[in-house]
Amino acid sequence: MTRRLLEGPHPECYLAAMTAVPISNIRNFSIVAHIDHGKSTLADRLIQLTGGLELREMKEQVLDSMDIERERGITIKAQTVRLNYRARDGKDYILNLIDTPGHVDFAYEVNRSLAACEGSLLVVDASQGVEAQTLANVYHAIDAGHEIVPVLNKVDLPAAEPEAIKKQIEDVIGLDASNAIQISAKTGQNVPEVLEAIVTRLPPPKGDRAAALKALLVDSWYDAYLGVVVLVRIVDGVLKKGQRIRMIGIDGSYEVDRTGVFTPKLTLVDELGPGEIGMLTASIKEVADTRVGDTITDERNPVDEPLPGFRPAIPVVFCGLFPVDAAQFEDLRAAMGKLRLNDASFSYEMETSAALGFGFRCGFLGLLHLEIIQERLEREFNLDLIATAPSVIYKMNLRDGSQLEIHNPVDMPDVMKILEIQEPWIEATILTPDEYLGSVLKLCQDRRGNQKELTYVGSRAMVKYDLPLNEVVFDFYDRLKSVSKGYASFDYHLTDYRPADLVKMSILVNEEPVDALSMLVHRTRAESRGRGMVEKLKELIPPHMFQVPIQAAIGGKIIARETVRALRKDVTAKCYGGDATRKRKLLDKQKKGKKRMRQFGKVDIPQEAFIAALKVDV
């Protein structure tokens, strides 16, 4: 391959003269695994072995481009790379690799990556074995019709048990693991065998070069130099520079400016043929115009039927994000707009709060997604933010026959108008060592869970529970890690909505409702959660010059109360001798002043109080 620098501002564009490879010599594959089982490290070794990057350009987790991905050691965005490989049979192959996230919150990224591939490498840690998200991700791959090659990673560790893990893969997943490849991605041991397995055991893509252009829109993001970059998988036909294309979903027409592939550097090519994965730019102004899962076709010779695509990302957790300094509101609006360009699964709308001022109600795929977005806003855009209590979507059947969807407790209608409230339920799969099983079962029971299944995978128990999502979004994952000493793994998917006896619990500070702390809770847990909240707030709200009552209320009924004692100034310090009525007069005057203060005084609730109160566990 020969490269020269492209004329233009983008530092990572190269012009490439690429040798044409028949479709039978293309392999599109994904790497799926549980968190921290070595997906990104294996991707590094494959890039290194095929010469995608020189040794001086290599770094750990080269496909994890965000600082936050490197610090946390997780993959958030799926990344793609094209590798050129000469196999032992002497033929040249093109390998298109998509490195996918392992966390349940980013299953959306996994699904759309799998739709662009024909096969998957299933990476399993040879010391830890099959985990909850190993199961979830491999089932996604099986549903997508993939051929799967099992790979046992970290066989160089003293605790590795490759033979036992092979049996586990066969027992739990039902895959034949007798010819699983045993590697160490960190040291590079046996990794060349993985490349050979990709070529010999995974099927090539199917496609007709002479047919009308049909391409799947896999991903899109905003680039400061190139504008909107669209990642596509060509199914049929050819995509060329200068071609007029139509996006069927949005019915938009564009002219292609550039076509290219990632090696992992952006390398420009003249055309993309069937079976190939690459990028295009076409002077598209908004990422919102490029709907993931859309079908791209030729404007003059369109296809009759679009591709099935895949379901759009549906937010399941909502919370309010407000700037600590009200003057940063416009900065927050601009930052969210920029972040939305590169994360189609994040949604937001403006809202106001009496306690916190102007902010945004945001939708996320899960709690980790919420945490990542908040951290990116604070770090990349230098903002100080307060997040309100996370909540889920509730369905309210009203007496007039209509149905409302509520994801902010403040919007809840009058209880007299509500016939029934329904909340979302999930099916959770938890794998835990046997000694922690009792604690895990108790945690699930305390969260109103219904046990569905309990089986054993070697020395570990696999539990399936039906749980209300409302009980999971608060701190379930943290509590699970705590009771299992970090050994339990957790995966879930939304199942249905069920009727529930839910009530709106308000928190009043100095008799003023703090809407940011109001929440919908199950009636049986309302009192304990209210008591926990007010006790926590009592510790966190600093004393004022007057008494501050903190109350938890359901409607007009107070269910818990604490009082922050007033700061007391000794007004009788200057009195010496004399009659006691003189002291009494001064104390009464102080008492009246405090009463007036309490009537007109404003209580400052520090940011830490909001955050800590929302994390209270009862």
Side-chain angles (χ1 to χ4, degrees):
M1 182 191 299
T2 59
R3 296 180 184 151
R4 66 176 174 80
L5 275 172
L6 175 79
E7 291 172 7
H10 199 284
E12 290 199 352
C13 286
Y14 292 84
L15 200 60
M18 294 209 164
T19 52
V21 171
I23 192 168
S24 59
N25 287 18
I26 296 174
R27 298 290 183 274
N28 297 323
F29 69 99
S30 186
I31 304 180
V32 295
H34 187 76
I35 307 153
D36 206 28
H37 279 203
K39 296 182 299 296
S40 297
T41 310
L42 176 57
D44 288 354
R45 294 294 82 77
L46 296 176
I47 291 167
Q48 206 173 341
L49 278 170
T50 54
L53 288 175
E54 293 172 28
L55 194 60
R56 63 186 174 80
E57 296 172 304
M58 282 302 297
K59 55 187 176 183
E60 285 190 19
Q61 276 85 47
V62 72
L63 295 182
D64 289 347
S65 52
M66 286 189 270
D67 291 341
I68 197 166
E69 289 180 309
R70 294 178 170 284
E71 284 172 27
R72 288 173 175 253
I74 58 173
T75 301
I76 294 167
K77 286 289 287 180
Q79 299 286 347
T80 180
V81 61
R82 173 174 173 148
L83 308 171
N84 295 314
Y85 175 58
R86 175 158 287 176
R88 288 171 189 165
D89 61 9
K91 293 179 183 173
D92 287 324
Y93 288 87
I94 287 176
L95 311 180
N96 288 311
L97 151 68
I98 299 183
D99 179 26
T100 58
H103 199 280
V104 61
D105 284 13
F106 305 112
Y108 168 66
E109 292 278 336
V110 177
N111 284 337
R112 67 190 192 186
S113 302
L114 296 177
C117 304
E118 286 77 37
S120 290
L121 298 180
L122 170 65
V123 178
V124 180
D125 188 319
S127 59
Q128 293 182 359
V130 175
E131 300 277 12
Q133 281 155 244
T134 311
L135 284 172
N137 290 338
V138 78
Y139 289 149
H140 285 315
I142 290 168
D143 290 345
H146 280 202
E147 189 69 39
I148 293 166
V149 175
V151 176
L152 300 186
N153 192 18
K154 308 189 187 181
V155 293
D156 56 327
L157 293 180
E161 299 176 303
E163 292 309 315
I165 303 305
K166 279 184 187 179
K167 188 171 186 313
Q168 208 180 86
I169 291 171
E170 289 176 354
D171 293 348
V172 180
I173 302 172
L175 280 177
D176 177 17
S178 57
N179 57 354
I181 306 162
Q182 300 181 29
I183 67 161
S184 167
K186 192 172 183 180
T187 64
Q189 175 190 335
N190 225 16
V191 175
E193 296 304 317
V194 176
L195 286 167
E196 280 300 309
I198 291 165
V199 166
T200 55
R201 290 164 61 180
L202 295 184
K206 295 184 175 75
D208 182 2
R209 191 178 177 86
L213 173 65
K214 184 192 280 186
L216 175 69
L217 198 159
V218 180
D219 198 1
S220 59
W221 62 91
Y222 188 80
D223 184 284
Y225 294 99
L226 304 174
V228 177
V229 179
V230 179
L231 187 70
V232 292
R233 156 68 201 272
I234 311 296
V235 178
D236 288 320
V238 180
L239 180 70
K240 296 178 180 176
K241 181 181 173 181
Q243 186 175 2
R244 291 290 300 180
I245 57 167
R246 176 170 293 282
M247 293 184 186
I248 293 176
I250 61 159
D251 198 28
S253 177
Y254 303 96
E255 185 173 323
V256 178
D257 298 331
R258 299 177 187 83
T259 53
V261 294
F262 296 96
T263 67
K265 293 172 183 172
L266 174 53
T267 308
L268 297 185
V269 295
D270 295 329
E271 62 177 41
L272 293 169
E276 292 190 275
I277 297 174
M279 57 70 71
L280 69 90
T281 60
S283 304
I284 303 167
K285 301 291 186 290
E286 294 280 332
V287 173
D289 294 341
T290 55
R291 197 178 298 160
V292 169
D294 201 352
T295 302
I296 296 174
T297 187
D298 188 276
E299 189 177 38
R300 295 182 185 87
N301 182 22
V303 292
D304 300 327
E305 285 292 315
L307 292 160
F310 25 83
R311 291 193 310 273
I314 299 165
V316 294
V317 176
F318 291 83
C319 89
L321 289 179
F322 295 84
V324 173
D325 178 1
Q328 285 192 320
F329 173 73
E330 285 303 326
D331 296 338
L332 176 60
R333 187 204 293 272
M336 284 193 166
K338 287 175 182 171
L339 211 56
R340 178 80 174 82
L341 289 177
N342 289 341
D343 189 348
S345 53
F346 162 59
S347 60
Y348 66 93
E349 59 185 41
M350 192 178 149
E351 75 166 355
T352 56
S353 157
L356 300 173
F358 289 102
F360 293 93
R361 190 82 188 163
C362 307
F364 307 92
L365 301 180
L367 275 187
L368 178 70
H369 191 211
L370 185 160
E371 208 177 305
I372 295 289
I373 292 286
Q374 189 178 349
E375 195 167 328
R376 285 185 69 187
L377 285 168
E378 289 177 346
R379 183 185 299 190
E380 295 174 24
F381 302 98
N382 201 24
L383 297 166
D384 286 330
L385 301 174
I386 297 173
T388 64
S391 71
V392 297
I393 297 178
Y394 299 96
K395 291 183 178 175
M396 312 235 166
N397 294 323
L398 305 183
R399 294 189 184 278
D400 63 4
S402 60
Q403 189 181 67
L404 278 179
E405 284 196 352
I406 301 283
H407 52 70
N408 188 348
V410 176
D411 300 332
M412 186 172 164
D414 187 340
V415 288
M416 298 307 293
K417 295 180 180 177
I418 301 169
L419 185 65
E420 181 185 68
I421 303 175
Q422 295 182 334
E423 64 176 343
W425 280 64
I426 59 166
E427 183 182 88
T429 305
I430 301 168
L431 274 94
T432 177
D434 197 28
E435 60 264 38
Y436 307 116
L437 180 60
S439 306
V440 170
L441 293 178
K442 184 179 183 306
L443 173 66
C444 293
Q445 290 300 127
D446 290 347
R447 300 299 172 100
R448 300 192 282 127
N450 303 323
Q451 188 179 320
K452 288 181 74 177
E453 205 177 294
L454 173 57
T455 52
Y456 275 85
V457 180
S459 62
R460 291 186 309 161
M462 185 167 84
V463 197
K464 287 197 175 177
Y465 254 92
D466 276 347
L467 286 161
L469 184 59
N470 182 25
E471 300 285 351
V472 172
V473 297
F474 267 92
D475 58 353
F476 180 83
Y477 194 64
D478 292 344
R479 296 287 303 152
L480 179 67
K481 287 293 180 189
S482 178
V483 300
S484 66
K485 305 284 192 295
Y487 286 105
S489 62
F490 170 66
D491 180 74
Y492 69 86
H493 64 269
L494 216 56
T495 52
D496 56 358
Y497 276 77
R498 301 180 192 175
D501 186 12
L502 298 174
V503 290
K504 179 184 171 185
M505 185 179 77
S506 306
I507 300 293
L508 293 89
V509 176
N510 198 23
E511 297 177 0
E512 287 288 324
V514 182
D515 51 359
L517 292 176
S518 63
M519 61 182 76
L520 284 171
V521 291
H522 197 265
R523 195 181 294 277
T524 56
R525 294 188 49 128
E527 192 174 328
S528 58
R529 180 153 274 174
R531 195 166 299 285
M533 289 278 272
V534 296
E535 285 171 2
K536 196 81 175 173
L537 283 168
K538 183 190 175 184
E539 295 167 21
L540 296 161
I541 293 177
H544 288 60
M545 292 301 292
F546 49 92
Q547 276 191 357
V548 179
I550 305 166
Q551 299 160 307
I554 296 173
K557 183 185 176 186
I558 304 297
I559 56 169
R561 173 182 169 131
E562 291 288 340
T563 306
V564 180
R565 294 192 62 177
L567 282 170
R568 180 160 183 160
K569 181 183 175 185
D570 190 357
V571 291
T572 61
K574 292 180 183 176
C575 292
Y576 50 91
D579 192 70
T581 53
R582 196 163 160 222
K583 287 185 180 179
R584 182 80 266 145
K585 186 179 174 184
L586 287 167
L587 288 168
D588 285 345
K589 190 178 178 185
Q590 183 189 40
K591 193 175 178 183
K592 280 181 185 173
K594 282 188 183 289
K595 189 177 178 183
R596 193 164 60 250
M597 253 185 186
R598 189 182 149 198
Q599 194 175 347
F600 301 108
K602 187 175 185 295
V603 179
D604 290 320
I605 306 174
Q607 183 188 359
E608 305 79 62
F610 276 104
I611 296 163
L614 299 176
K615 287 186 176 175
V616 68
D617 181 54
V618 287

